[in-house]
Amino acid sequence: MHEEIRERIDKIHENFVIIDGHFDLLMDVLEKRELGFKKVIEREHLPNFIEGGINIIVSSIFIEDIFLPEMALRRALDQISALYEEIEESKDKIVLCKSYDDIMKAVKENKLGILLSFEGVEPIGNDLKLLRIFYELGVRIIGLVWSRRNYAADGCYFSKKEEGKKGGLTSFGVELIKEAEKLGMLIDVSHLNDEGFWDVINIAKNPIIASHSNSRTLANSMRNLDDEQIKALAAKGGVIGMNVCNAFVSDNDEECDADHLVNHVDNIVKIAGIEHVGLGFDFCDFIRAKQPEKAEKPKRKTFDVIKGHKNIREFTEALIKHGYNDDEIELILGRNFLRIYKNIF
């Protein structure tokens, strides 16, 4: 790397607010705390965040299939409890953010700010009253589904089990959006199928986000947004977070790198403008490494095209090489999501 570019990247990562809009942090934290470990975030994750210059992490509350349906609520509460314990153990380094003011305070005090999001609303089942409980605990972003069906909506693809035809939002899903926006929660459409996406566009009153989705034009996955969806989301003032999973970067693994990830930025900027792109890296290699190898080999191996938060300067370097100036990079790395957060909570 040319020394001048390296210095520019270092300056950007030292001075700009950098937000990763989606990371499965708490699932890992809870699993390790159940094994007796303490200060999991401080010991295992914080050094990578610091090296990458991350200020704010949006930590998903994700419930694995094995805990559904009976254990979903308990597992979600256990994850949040684990976070509160982690903050108590590392109070000088980590803070839970429930508002825009909390975010800016965390940045000023040089602490890692953590926002909470649902990745699927399975923890509340079909009981809308539980939404306020999670709001009070700190959840501010509502990803309606993971890639499976729940009481609110259908995911963007299903398991190999036989199911009926996919559909859009249920009546419960409609009421959920209304109540979430009333409380001051942000709606996230990543993982929704197309029918559900368009229902959210028509029902939501506030800006919405796709926290970890790319451009379907460049990688033909239902997890990505097509050009019309990108236009519609931008028209509502929303932001799309760039995802490092190879399946969402390119249909060809030889093209799965930071440069091709920035091609998705280029496409979204061309369609909707620079104000509608953010980061939602969804780093998962550390999770895949813990999973046993399946007897049936997948047709395509899944991997992250950037290897963790400590290496996100590769993304910034690619932005520079694609011709983005510092003001535009600042928007992408965090300011666009900050605008949404300030507007909602």
Side-chain angles (χ1 to χ4, degrees):
M1 188 190 306
H2 193 278
E3 186 63 29
E4 184 178 338
I5 294 179
R6 188 189 302 276
E7 290 177 0
R8 181 179 169 191
I9 293 171
D10 288 343
K11 184 177 179 181
I12 286 170
H13 280 251
E14 289 170 4
N15 295 295
F16 292 173
V17 176
I18 302 180
I19 299 172
D20 183 355
H22 184 87
F23 185 49
D24 294 327
L25 176 64
L26 290 189
M27 182 172 66
D28 182 65
V29 169
L30 177 58
E31 288 175 355
K32 288 174 178 171
R33 292 191 70 87
E34 288 175 332
L35 294 172
F37 294 100
K38 307 289 186 182
K39 295 187 176 182
V40 177
I41 297 175
E42 181 179 337
R43 290 186 301 103
E44 299 193 19
H45 294 283
L46 190 59
N48 294 327
F49 298 152
I50 291 172
E51 190 168 347
I54 295 288
N55 302 102
I56 305 295
I57 285 286
V58 179
S59 177
S60 66
I61 299 169
F62 171 71
I63 309 300
E64 296 174 284
D65 287 346
I66 193 172
F67 298 109
L68 300 179
E70 291 88 352
M71 292 284 288
L73 174 58
R74 177 174 170 179
R75 200 67 182 169
L77 293 174
D78 284 349
Q79 286 187 19
I80 295 174
S81 178
L83 175 61
Y84 275 77
E85 290 171 343
E86 290 275 313
I87 291 172
E88 181 65 26
E89 292 165 2
S90 306
K91 61 182 63 177
D92 59 329
K93 296 178 175 67
I94 305 168
V95 64
L96 174 63
C97 297
K98 296 183 179 182
S99 67
Y100 173 80
D101 289 342
D102 287 346
I103 292 170
M104 300 315 296
K105 186 171 185 285
V107 172
K108 183 178 180 181
E109 295 179 354
N110 198 30
K111 294 181 180 180
L112 175 71
I114 297 178
L115 283 164
L116 291 178
S117 69
F118 275 135
E119 188 169 21
V121 293
E122 284 85 355
I124 68 173
N126 62 349
D127 188 349
L128 199 58
K129 294 186 292 296
L130 290 175
L131 190 63
R132 178 174 284 277
I133 301 300
F134 281 101
Y135 176 85
E136 298 297 338
L137 290 172
V139 177
R140 290 296 179 269
I141 301 171
I142 304 292
L144 296 171
V145 297
W146 184 61
S147 294
R148 62 193 172 203
R149 180 178 295 176
N150 62 26
Y151 279 110
D154 279 348
C156 60
Y157 63 86
F158 302 109
S159 68
K160 295 181 180 179
K161 298 178 182 178
E162 291 185 11
E163 295 191 40
K165 292 182 179 179
K166 64 182 180 179
L169 299 188
T170 64
S171 58
F172 175 73
V174 173
E175 293 305 311
L176 176 63
I177 288 176
K178 293 178 180 178
E179 181 64 17
E181 292 196 326
K182 179 181 174 183
L183 287 170
M185 304 171 90
L186 175 61
I187 304 300
D188 180 2
V189 297
S190 282
H191 283 284
L192 268 176
N193 63 10
D194 290 348
E195 293 84 351
F197 173 91
W198 290 110
D199 282 345
V200 173
I201 289 293
N202 292 326
I203 293 165
K205 303 299 183 184
N206 295 331
I208 62 174
I209 64 170
S211 64
H212 54 303
S213 297
N214 297 337
S215 169
R216 198 179 299 178
T217 296
L218 301 181
N220 189 24
S221 167
M222 290 290 288
R223 277 282 288 104
N224 289 339
L225 303 184
D226 66 31
D227 290 357
E228 292 305 310
Q229 290 173 320
I230 291 169
K231 291 177 186 176
L233 186 143
K236 293 188 77 71
V239 173
I240 304 165
M242 298 295 92
N243 189 322
V244 299
C245 179
N246 64 312
F248 312 141
V249 173
S250 176
D251 298 327
N252 180 0
D253 281 344
E254 293 180 0
E255 298 177 346
C256 288
D257 53 25
D259 180 68
H260 284 83
L261 179 57
V262 173
N263 286 346
H264 290 263
V265 176
D266 295 342
N267 191 56
I268 294 168
V269 170
K270 180 179 69 175
I271 293 169
I274 193 72
E275 298 84 5
H276 304 288
V277 188
L279 310 180
F281 288 130
D282 194 20
F283 289 113
C284 287
D285 276 352
F286 77 103
I287 296 174
R288 298 182 190 105
K290 297 185 294 183
Q291 295 172 341
E293 191 170 317
K294 295 181 180 179
E296 184 180 344
K297 302 292 184 182
K299 293 181 180 179
R300 185 182 184 188
K301 185 177 180 180
T302 305
F303 61 88
D304 296 340
V305 305
I306 298 171
K307 301 305 178 185
H309 289 97
K310 66 181 180 180
N311 292 310
I312 65 172
R313 281 174 169 79
E314 294 175 17
F315 181 79
T316 307
E317 181 183 4
L319 288 173
I320 291 171
K321 289 181 177 179
H322 281 237
Y324 292 96
N325 62 42
D326 285 8
D327 290 340
E328 292 169 331
I329 293 173
E330 183 176 16
L331 290 173
I332 294 167
L333 294 187
R335 284 292 171 187
N336 284 333
F337 268 132
L338 278 178
R339 181 188 72 247
I340 299 285
Y341 299 160
K342 186 176 183 180
N343 187 53
I344 302 297
F345 47 78

